[in-house]
């Protein structure tokens, strides 16, 4: 089971911290950022998690390009367990 905690700060302008608690440290964890259209913007983590995972997002896509202001979704998935949180990027 995973717990996607609220990111800090939210809204954010430079970067935001994302904390995820994982009870199962053997199953792969995927953490990704999506836009309002459901398009994948950034993969923040793929792999075997530790108990508490501290990630950050600086408002860029997988190519390193800064994305525009707006609403995005952080999604954490481990097996069939999926949690999503809405975040707001302001510039």
């Amino acid at each position: 089971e995973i717990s996607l905690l609220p990111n800090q700060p939210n809204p954010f302008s430079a970067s935001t911290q994302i904390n995820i608690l994982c009870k199962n440290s053997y199953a792969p964890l995927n953490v990704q950022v999506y836009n309002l259209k459901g398009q994948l913007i950034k993969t923040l983590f793929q792999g075997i998690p530790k108990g508490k995972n501290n990630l950050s997002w600086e408002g860029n896509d997988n190519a390193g390009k800064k994305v525009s202001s707006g609403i995005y979704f952080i999604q954490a998935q481990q097996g069939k367990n999926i949690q999503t949180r809405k975040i707001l990027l302001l510039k």
Side-chain angles (χ1 to χ4, degrees):
E1 186 174 325
I2 57 175
S3 295
L4 178 58
L5 304 175
N7 62 300
Q8 295 293 325
N10 190 21
F12 74 101
S13 60
S15 71
T16 188
Q17 298 297 312
I18 299 121
N19 295 308
I20 303 163
L21 299 175
C22 295
K23 291 183 181 177
N24 181 352
S25 60
Y26 302 105
L29 172 69
N30 293 313
V31 182
Q32 299 172 315
V33 179
Y34 292 90
N35 65 14
L36 281 172
K37 295 178 182 177
Q39 299 167 319
L40 175 64
I41 299 298
K42 176 81 173 180
T43 298
L44 297 177
F45 183 86
Q46 280 186 317
I48 302 299
K50 303 176 207 130
K52 185 174 184 181
N53 300 272
N54 301 312
L55 307 171
S56 65
W57 183 45
E58 289 77 31
N60 56 349
D61 63 15
N62 278 327
K65 181 182 171 192
K66 291 288 185 185
V67 298
S68 61
S69 296
I71 296 171
Y72 293 88
F73 296 95
I74 300 286
Q75 183 179 77
Q77 178 177 5
Q78 189 176 45
K80 294 181 180 180
N81 191 348
I82 300 173
Q83 292 192 358
T84 304
R85 285 203 178 268
K86 182 169 61 172
I87 62 175
L88 179 59
L89 170 61
L90 298 175
K91 294 189 178 184

